[in-house]
Amino acid sequence: MEKSPNNEREPSNPAKQEAGNKPKSGERPDQGTELTSDHYDPQGKPDADKRVFPAPDNVGAKHKNPVLAQPPEEFTGLTLGKPATVAAGVKAVLKSMEFSWGEAGVGRGTHALLKLNQKDGFDCSSCAWPDPDDHRSVAEFCENGAKATASDADTRRADPEFFAKHSLVDLSHMTDRDLNNAGRLTHPMVLRPGATHYTQIAWPDAFQLVADELNALTSPDEAVFYTSGKVPNEPAYLYQLFVRQFGTNNLPDCSNMCHESSGSALSPTLGLGKGSVTLNDIHEAEVILIMGQNPGTNHPRMLTALQIAKRNGAKIIAINPLYEAGLSHFKNPQDFMNPIKAVGTLLGSGTTISDLHLQVRINGDMAVLRGIMKHLLRSEEMNPGEVIDHEFIKEYTTDYDKFLDTIRNTQWEDIEQMSGLSQAQLLEAATIIAPKQKIITCWAMGLTQQKNGVMSIQEIVNLHLMKGAVGKPGAGTCPVRGHSNVQGDRTMGIWERPHKEFLDALVNEYGFEPPREHGYDTVEAIKAMYEGKTGVFISLGGNFLSASPDTEFVAEGLRKQNLTAFISTKLNRGHLVTGKTSLILPCLAHVDMDMQRSGQQFTSCENSMGVVSQNKGVLQPLDGEMLSEVAIISGIAISTLADKTKIDWVGYTENYDTIRDAVARVIPGFDKFNEKIRKPGGFYLPNGPRERNFTTENGKANFTVTDMIKHTIEPDQLVLMSIRSHDQFNTTIYDYNDRYRGVYGERRVIFMNPQDMKARGIQERQLVNITSHFNGQQRKLEKFVAIPYNIPRGDTAAYYPEVNPLVSIASVATVSNTPTSKFVIITVEPVAELLREGSKSAVAMTA
């Protein structure tokens, strides 16, 4: 490559960095004045495709297609224990070391962990929970982060020799755990039309193959460009830049499937589709509500923040259908390193997390909030001026009177029926909240993937506006994002519905005219692929097949593509269900050192609380031909756009500072990006709601009037929600265990209320077939093991991606178009077979 004139800046030196804009306890962060772009449409998606397509044959698909789109049905050896009552502790430490040393080796694994989430290290590739602004411990990671890092630092290799040994059919019969354990992808691989195996391909040929397929399309809109939330800011920015110069806004991403409901609710009510709190706010809160979230498994480092809040006197209310260990008690692994605390931590029961647990029915959170607010209004009537913040409401909000009418007109009978909770139980929560002002509500996909997800989050906002609990220390909204940079990718422009200001900024920076029409979100892209309206699918990270709903429907769409291309670090099932031609393009992980012409590079990520910090790999990559995501995107862009582009893709690849310089000019809030990102801990992006600056269309924080929609459930029907196991992050399966729920060695299970099992004549460990029901359609899965569990009557839960085939592509949350994986109406049919302890084969039941 020719030397770029813009790549002379000295690479980052952590030793020369100085403190950034971290807030001290009780202070708000210095955020600057320019507001960040809000990549959420306040009008929702009124033009989203609402059509219902034929239901796929989930059971027959394994016979029709030898390459399995679903995980294999074979059992792996179920053992049941008692659900845990304490999260983390010694076992979490041991499991962290076991994963790290087992996959990466002692030296390599330890070095990686000691640099994980450090200011001069790399960002964890799993959850987006923020790191402390000031002091960070030597082990600033959780069990989940250790597993993710061990997986990225894996010394095993899925190289050309591996692919020569295993056909696609063979690979598809492996479990998802074993596919991940094949090791790091090391060389670009191609699957030619009609071939049974991937074979090696040179990088220039791979880039040209992509270019030829893209340029052969009748329209740029016949291509789909998906993005995973693990992708750092710099490659995400380049990806959307390439896609828009190519000529389409078809940029679906994992946000469409997770927190799209959060953005759709927050943007029109508070003016920003992100949360409004910092980590220090969590520490200082007086009341914290945790809704639709299991932090012990999905965001374990959050438990440390909750422990600090508890020690500062906070009350915590957990609202969840399942009693989760992380919402019960917590033993902080960091305390084992403190000689004073170690013995007490080892022998004690841990810190009590929840003061009150409300075991809500699935999709009943909206009714819970309505009931709490109904109690608060009654308390205000009895104690005028002591419960509701009338000054805040008068100065900052609108539509309060309409909201009051809605609350008063809601009947307790409806609230109790939808929530599954009594008026007295909801009074307990309201009594905790009523005298307090520093209130934070945290939520995750347990809310966002409900049919009523957007409305439920709007009710959260209503509660906070009633209390004036927005825009002051210790108070605000906290959507807890899953993947490491899912929030940052949206900030960088990974969005299918770009706003005018962002596109105008691209015009000013680069001189080309980007497309203005809305593109496909994830659900719309799947439908377009299924109908044959697209010919190329490119995935920047992730496992699109397994993350999406209606697995066999998605598989049919992928098979209709002329080309599928996957930019990835490790093998997953999504690489096996392909178009006529397919590419696997191996990239560097967060943990890998990224050496380019100007020296070692770093990237950046934005966490759940709007802090942008650097990510600098510390391990030498495995031998092979892996490239950085930036280099791969630039290679595709150069080959595809050729002389149509005047963008310096070579310069961007040689020195990532040049990318950040462009971002600083294009995206508000990133002024002096290269300067601020070099400060330890990074910097806070501007956040209007945090400063009571509500940049809605009317400049106010808006109360929302919503209807509590009742969903008809027939007497024999149940409601299913998908969940993660403890040894899982997103679609990555590290092992078959779910330690906190007492399930070991198996994932094909369904958790059921014991009374529901008894009413259907189902015994513990008995096999059942599950059928989902949507708009008269049925989708069926066979041979799941029924397990009695403490879950509300009428509700069930099972692991994804195993139960994704039950979720209709047309079943989406109102407004956000997010798949309703947390609200699936099912029936359960017992099979006269039983899976005994530790067995991998079911046996016939005797009468």
Side-chain angles (χ1 to χ4, degrees), residues 203 207 567 585-588 627-637:
W203 276 112
F207 293 150
I567 302 170
L585 306 176
C587 65
L588 300 177
L627 295 179
S628 71
E629 291 160 315
V630 165
I632 294 172
I633 294 164
S634 295
I636 292 174

Side-chain angles (χ1 to χ4, degrees), residues 49-53 451 523 527 549-550 774-775 777 779 807-813 817 820:
D49 185 357
K50 301 297 194 299
R51 289 176 296 159
V52 177
F53 288 78
K451 182 67 177 176
V523 168
K527 292 179 179 179
D550 221 343
F774 179 79
N775 279 11
Q777 294 183 347
R779 288 165 170 79
V807 185
S808 169
I809 191 66
S811 181
V812 295
N817 215 37
T820 57

